[in-house]
Amino acid sequence: MSICSSSSSSSSSSSSTGKACIVHTVLAGAALAVAIGAHAYLGRARKFRTRVVGIIPARYASSRFEGKPLVHILGKPMLQRTWERSKLATTLDHLVVATDDEKIVECCRGFGADVIMTSESCQNGTERCYEALEKLEKKYDIVVNIQGDEPLLEPEIIDGIVKVLQAAPDAVFSTAVTSLKPEDAFDPNRVKCVVDNRGYAIYFSRGLIPFNKSAKVNPRFPYLLHLGIQSYDSKFLKIYPKLQPTPLQLEEDLEQLKVLENGYKIKVIKVEHEAHGVDTPEDVEKIESLMRERNLS
């Protein structure tokens, strides 16, 4: 159907028809531009944060458990067990260990892991991930910080936090929580989390949160335990080391709080997971007993 057509030879009709032609042409052009723009936007959305690298920060000189990454669990270094579990995640394009110790480098090469040396000045795992990212040859959109002391981590949790960050463009960070056991309520090594009704983090704490006026655990309240694994938008990860330490971060000694205190959003997913991190030498025996029960070798 013709957009512009003339039905009269009069000047007034020609003038009206000309104006109509211009209007229709402008509208058609605008519609086409919108369609092209929408297609381009959707094309970008489909490719949003697609390239993903997993980084396992491994520090030898831990204040609570020196040499922890290399401790053997049923005959294998704990770091190797974490590496093997992480390799099963389907969302990772690459996996690397980031360390500041030659003993860990040697161990990683022994079981075939890619490893990057980072400086001893890194204050936490996030800063170590940033330094490792800068040394990688390829560019990545998402960096997953995988805790090396979680040898029983399910690869599905890695995939979950990657996918939720890909689906939340207003967030720069994602992490996972699970149900908190009552016996862990007042353990400062078990970090707790509260989230809003859209799944964004409100706060993280080593203390029990929320804390009621009875000062006791409410058995009916669904307290959340933070699992150490987290992922970042790579652009934000480059900003993070430049942010000054914040009061809450320093008081709780939790790097996630620097993110929140600076106004950035953290997306949180809840998973069913038995948290079995290794924080002390005593935890190694617990992990080994659990693995024997599950026939894991």
Side-chain angles (χ1 to χ4, degrees):
M1 182 177 67
S2 174
I3 294 177
C4 305
S5 59
S6 176
S7 58
S8 170
S9 59
S10 67
S11 60
S12 61
S13 296
S14 297
S15 176
S16 298
T17 302
K19 290 177 181 178
C21 180
I22 292 170
V23 170
H24 281 297
T25 301
V26 169
L27 290 175
L32 181 60
V34 169
I36 293 171
H39 179 75
Y41 174 80
L42 290 173
R44 288 196 300 272
R46 282 194 293 270
K47 297 178 180 178
F48 185 59
R49 294 173 173 166
T50 56
R51 295 162 297 182
V52 184
V53 61
I55 301 178
I56 306 175
R59 182 168 170 262
Y60 188 87
S62 169
S63 58
R64 287 183 295 177
F65 189 174
E66 187 174 20
K68 180 170 68 170
L70 303 185
V71 68
H72 275 231
I73 296 178
L74 294 184
K76 288 183 181 181
M78 179 169 64
L79 187 56
Q80 180 177 351
R81 292 199 173 275
T82 303
W83 168 272
E84 290 172 350
R85 297 289 292 175
S86 302
K87 288 287 284 184
L88 299 175
T90 61
T91 53
L92 298 183
D93 298 301
H94 187 45
L95 181 64
V96 65
V97 174
T99 187
D100 59 0
D101 193 278
E102 284 293 344
K103 292 184 286 295
I104 292 177
V105 171
E106 185 178 348
C107 175
C108 289
R109 289 174 178 161
F111 62 81
D114 290 334
V115 59
I116 291 177
M117 277 294 288
T118 54
S119 67
E120 295 181 1
S121 63
C122 295
Q123 297 296 308
N124 50 50
T126 301
E127 290 189 10
R128 201 170 301 283
C129 284
Y130 162 73
E131 190 174 322
L133 178 67
E134 291 294 286
K135 293 184 176 183
L136 288 171
E137 293 181 3
K138 292 184 178 179
K139 302 299 181 183
Y140 295 94
D141 305 309
I142 291 178
V143 177
V144 185
N145 179 347
I146 302 168
Q147 301 296 301
D149 57 6
E150 279 270 358
L152 298 182
L153 178 69
E154 287 97 341
E156 291 80 9
I157 295 178
I158 297 174
D159 293 335
I161 66 167
V162 169
K163 290 175 181 177
V164 77
L165 188 58
Q166 289 172 330
D170 58 340
V172 297
F173 189 119
S174 66
T175 190
V177 296
T178 192
S179 298
L180 177 72
K181 293 180 180 178
E183 60 266 30
D184 291 333
F186 300 105
D187 183 347
N189 293 322
R190 298 291 187 250
V191 176
K192 295 79 178 177
C193 177
V194 286
V195 301
D196 67 17
N197 57 12
R198 296 177 58 232
Y200 291 90
I202 298 173
Y203 194 69
F204 297 85
S205 179
R206 295 186 181 278
L208 182 64
I209 51 173
F211 192 77
N212 61 54
K213 58 186 178 182
S214 75
K216 297 178 181 178
V217 176
N218 178 357
R220 294 184 297 277
F221 190 86
Y223 299 101
L224 298 175
L225 171 69
H226 178 230
L227 302 176
I229 186 169
Q230 47 208 29
S231 71
Y232 328 92
D233 181 284
S234 61
K235 293 186 181 68
F236 170 73
L237 187 57
K238 294 178 181 180
I239 296 171
Y240 178 88
K242 300 173 185 176
L243 299 174
Q244 292 299 309
T246 54
L248 295 175
Q249 174 203 4
L250 294 173
E251 183 63 21
E252 296 260 20
D253 190 22
L254 294 174
E255 57 192 286
Q256 301 86 359
L257 294 177
K258 184 164 78 166
V259 180
L260 294 178
E261 284 183 89
N262 278 282
Y264 294 100
K265 289 187 176 183
I266 298 177
K267 192 72 172 177
V268 180
I269 60 168
K270 186 171 186 237
V271 299
E272 297 300 322
H273 175 68
E274 287 281 340
H276 298 291
V278 176
D279 296 309
T280 66
E282 292 74 27
D283 291 329
V284 174
E285 187 176 342
K286 296 176 185 177
I287 290 283
E288 290 184 329
S289 297
L290 184 63
M291 291 179 68
R292 289 189 186 99
E293 290 174 11
R294 297 182 179 180
N295 293 318
L296 298 173
S297 59

